[in-house]
Amino acid sequence: MKSFFHPESVAVIGASPRKGGYNIIANLLNGFKGAVYPVNPNYGEIEGLPCFASVEQIPGPVELAIIFIPAPKVPDALEACARKGIKRVMIESAGFAEVGADGKAIQDRLKAVAEASNMRLWGPNCMGLVDVRGKNLFTFMSPRLYKDGLLEGKLSLIVQSGMLSAAFIADLMGRKKIGMGQVCSIGNKMDVDECDLLEYLLDDHDTDVVALYLESIRRGELFAKIAAKARKPIVALKGGRSSAGAKAAMSHTSSLSGNSRLLDSVLELSGVVLARDFFQMIDLAKTLAMTRLTKPAPRVAVLTFSGGAGILTCDLLENHGFELAGLSPDVVDRLADLFPSWMPVSNPVDMYPAIERHGRLATYDQAVPAALDDPQVDVVLLHYPVGVETDFIDLAGLKEKADRVNKPLLVWTLGLRDATEEFKELAYKLNVPCFDELSRMVECLAAAEKFSRVQRERNASPGAVRASDHVQPPPALASGDRVWDEYQSKRLLSKWNIPVVEERLAATAAEAEEAARALGYPVVLKGLVPGGVHKTEQGLVRLGITSNRDLETAFGELREKIRESNGRILAQRQVRIEYELIAGYLRDSQFGPCVMFGVGGILSELHRDVMFALAPLNRPEALKLIRSIRGKRLLEGFRGMAPLDLDRMADLLVNLGALGAAYPQIEQIDINPVAVAGGIPLAVDASVILKAD
């Protein structure tokens, strides 16, 4: 990647005195320190530089070529680059796979040329690269970009949409409140993709945080593994979510993976912070670049000029799981000197009565340092109205104080427009996160807390061995139908040490009675239909059978239902169930082998409280997956029930992930429900689904 970001020479194929071809040359001449070679057979020179008819006429080596010519002409230009020995090419032209079959055919030709010549391609259909710090502007965006002023920062962007990256830069730079490091527009990403760039930027000492807008993640498993090892924050916004879904919803596991649920789960458990929209993504990234929390469960102090704003902030903090700090007696005494005698001091600190006595600036200058000094306070959230006085509070002094005591200071501000913009610009220069909305301030604080928690967990269990490291080559799967019935599926699960309910097949009513005597009443009878996985919906389950007479009746009913399908009947011990969970395995097209865990039973698709993680898992990863669901309170011993045996459940998930990953032909495994009684999980129903081919 270094040759893309810091080449010693650049050839511009499609350079011209006008429009985009001119912009690329003008941008290069603005800051690029290496040699620039315009390439266009129609001109002798451009901007005082000799212009070459072909890259092959350029004297000496060329490290990077930027192509900006009509799509049908690009393959010939790329072949010329290959003959010249150019190994890095950035294609900023459009008209390829994004426009249909003809464009895809051209793109396929490019890929063939690149593979034959060991060449790396960036794009096509992209805006290229804007390296603000290095002043390498490899893009056809307007030169006004740098004429209006580029603000340097340590936030780097990877954006799949070309025009969106341009709009991002123009908007963010225009506001002059957010500095950027490197903005990478990757377009169709036929070769260089988000994984290549993410690895590079995570290793870049001038990048503190990486934000991404992506419409697809081609190598999802690799992306998640890179993120899981990252020591820098990663914020991701994924487009194209609403139309996603399960491509073959034969099982609950497949259905529940749709609508980006799997993607969100895997990325979240890999430590990625997920964003909902563009500017939230930037706010999250900006805050993560500025804020580090060093203590678990940080206690928060809120200093406000409005009682109502303080109450709302407390509500938001509680929703995100934060604890409001109890102020220490010494700090209460210090603050009490500011307030009238009738006003008790508590957190949140409503400073308005003190402001009435001493003035706004004097009150802030005394109250905020007191809160920062409090040993029972880990984070200070400050509300500040601007435009009321000519002068601002001493934000530089407060930031210096906050850094000295190693406590984050975040500010919510509102007021007159010009004063607010001026204050925000000051806050950015001082590395103080500043927000327009209370909710955004708290959610950004929550993201910082999550990143710190993830880093502590990684430090606590570095290099954990994955389950697959201990799995011996498995025996071959028995041939048969693509969709295995419950009995066949659970036989496989039991071989991988996944606990399953006791059961027996029964070909006759007499065999069913014999099975019931061995299992002990009450029992369950199930009709197993080839290719069917939803037995309850088909009326193929009989529960609570307590006598031979009831057993005979139920057996006869099920036999009639399955007669035409050549099915079979399963007798099963009826187990006590306090609540139901679901576990599953899915071989996803983007992320590869994944394990699912969540709240299960017949209502699993209604509640949709599930999470996914890459498989195979190790024990810490399985425990993290278990604790990640929204309904985790159920697992802690809800309403007098025994808490879930986390070790047993983790073992089940570890073994399930190892089983699925060991057999490439397995597409899905569904264990629903996982019955829990006395805290012990047990697989009551299951299905195994093989790949269609």
Side-chain angles (χ1 to χ4, degrees), residues 75-272:
D76 290 341
L78 196 65
E79 288 177 348
C81 289
R83 292 191 294 270
K84 176 66 177 174
I86 301 173
K87 298 300 183 182
R88 300 293 181 266
V89 178
M90 190 175 288
I91 304 173
E92 299 184 8
S93 313
F96 299 92
E98 78 278 4
V99 300
D102 291 344
K104 184 178 184 304
I106 298 173
Q107 188 166 305
D108 289 343
R109 287 182 59 194
L110 302 181
K111 186 174 182 180
V113 173
E115 289 177 349
S117 56
N118 195 27
M119 178 190 294
R120 296 300 307 272
L121 299 182
W122 179 311
N125 184 34
C126 69
M127 298 291 292
L129 168 67
V130 174
D131 178 359
V132 179
R133 187 175 297 273
K135 293 184 171 54
N136 290 339
L137 280 66
F138 304 157
T139 178
F140 62 87
M141 291 174 61
S142 170
R144 287 187 57 189
L145 188 69
Y146 58 83
K147 291 178 181 177
D148 290 344
L150 295 175
L151 189 61
E152 291 184 12
K154 293 198 171 187
L155 162 59
S156 289
L157 278 174
I158 301 172
V159 184
Q160 188 168 346
S161 168
M163 292 309 297
L164 182 61
S165 62
F168 251 134
I169 296 171
D171 185 88
L172 297 176
M173 297 304 179
R175 297 185 188 203
K176 290 185 168 53
K177 293 193 299 294
I178 300 175
M180 306 301 296
Q182 296 165 106
V183 182
C184 309
S185 168
I186 53 178
N188 293 8
K189 54 183 183 181
M190 62 176 295
D191 177 17
V192 172
D193 64 9
E194 58 278 351
C195 292
D196 298 306
L197 295 174
L198 183 60
E199 282 193 299
Y200 177 85
L201 293 173
L202 288 173
D203 195 45
D204 174 30
H205 69 276
D206 286 328
T207 295
D208 284 347
V209 60
V210 181
L212 307 96
Y213 168 72
L214 301 171
E215 291 154 11
S216 65
I217 303 180
R218 185 177 60 186
R219 296 186 289 170
E221 184 177 5
L222 176 60
F223 185 94
K225 289 179 178 179
I226 293 170
K229 297 177 181 179
R231 294 298 176 178
K232 296 177 182 179
I234 301 170
V235 183
L237 172 61
K238 174 67 171 61
R241 303 164 63 87
S242 58
S243 61
K247 62 180 180 180
M250 287 199 207
S251 69
H252 291 290
T253 300
S254 178
S255 176
L256 291 168
S257 70
N259 294 322
S260 296
R261 189 172 289 102
L262 186 148
L263 180 144
D264 288 352
S265 297
V266 172
L267 294 188
E268 185 177 336
L269 289 176
S270 298
V272 176

Side-chain angles (χ1 to χ4, degrees), residues 273-430:
V273 178
L274 301 175
R276 298 186 304 272
D277 58 53
F278 298 115
F279 290 106
Q280 188 208 31
M281 178 182 77
I282 295 300
D283 283 342
L284 288 168
K286 177 181 67 174
T287 305
L288 288 165
M290 296 178 177
T291 306
R292 292 291 182 270
L293 297 172
T294 58
K295 294 183 179 180
R299 301 159 296 179
V300 183
V302 179
L303 279 71
T304 183
F305 59 89
S306 161
I311 292 170
L312 180 56
T313 304
C314 291
D315 293 342
L316 293 166
L317 287 168
E318 183 175 307
N319 290 340
H320 284 276
F322 286 104
E323 176 186 350
L324 208 61
L327 302 178
S328 64
D330 289 346
V331 169
V332 170
D333 289 343
R334 283 175 61 180
L335 293 174
D337 292 339
L338 292 171
F339 287 87
S341 59
W342 53 265
M343 179 70 178
V345 176
S346 62
N347 187 15
V349 182
D350 183 355
M351 297 185 292
Y352 186 74
I355 291 171
E356 284 291 298
R357 294 184 70 195
H358 305 286
R360 193 177 310 272
L361 297 180
T363 300
Y364 275 82
D365 287 345
Q366 295 182 62
V368 181
L372 289 169
D373 281 335
D374 196 327
Q376 296 180 184
V377 171
D378 302 313
V379 179
V380 173
L381 301 186
L382 182 63
H383 300 172
Y384 179 59
V386 295
V388 180
E389 287 99 356
T390 304
D391 297 329
F392 293 146
I393 56 173
D394 181 14
L395 191 59
L398 295 178
K399 172 61 175 173
E400 182 182 354
K401 171 78 171 180
D403 289 346
R404 193 162 59 247
V405 296
N406 198 24
K407 296 179 183 180
L409 172 67
L410 288 76
V411 180
W412 169 61
T413 187
L414 76 168
L416 300 179
R417 183 185 62 185
D418 291 345
T420 300
E421 294 303 309
E422 183 183 351
F423 183 82
K424 288 178 183 176
E425 188 172 347
L426 172 64
Y428 179 78
K429 291 177 180 178
L430 294 172

Side-chain angles (χ1 to χ4, degrees), residues 476-497:
L477 290 180
S479 60
D481 296 330
R482 180 192 174 200
V483 181
W484 289 13
D485 68 24
E486 177 181 343
Y487 181 78
Q488 185 183 12
S489 298
K490 283 190 285 190
R491 299 286 67 74
L492 179 62
L493 297 182
S494 65
K495 291 178 181 178
W496 286 75
N497 297 319

Side-chain angles (χ1 to χ4, degrees), residues 45-66:
E45 70 170 43
I46 296 175
E47 287 294 296
L49 298 173
C51 189
F52 299 89
S54 166
V55 291
E56 295 175 272
Q57 295 181 7
I58 297 173
V62 175
E63 191 167 4
L64 171 67
I66 299 175

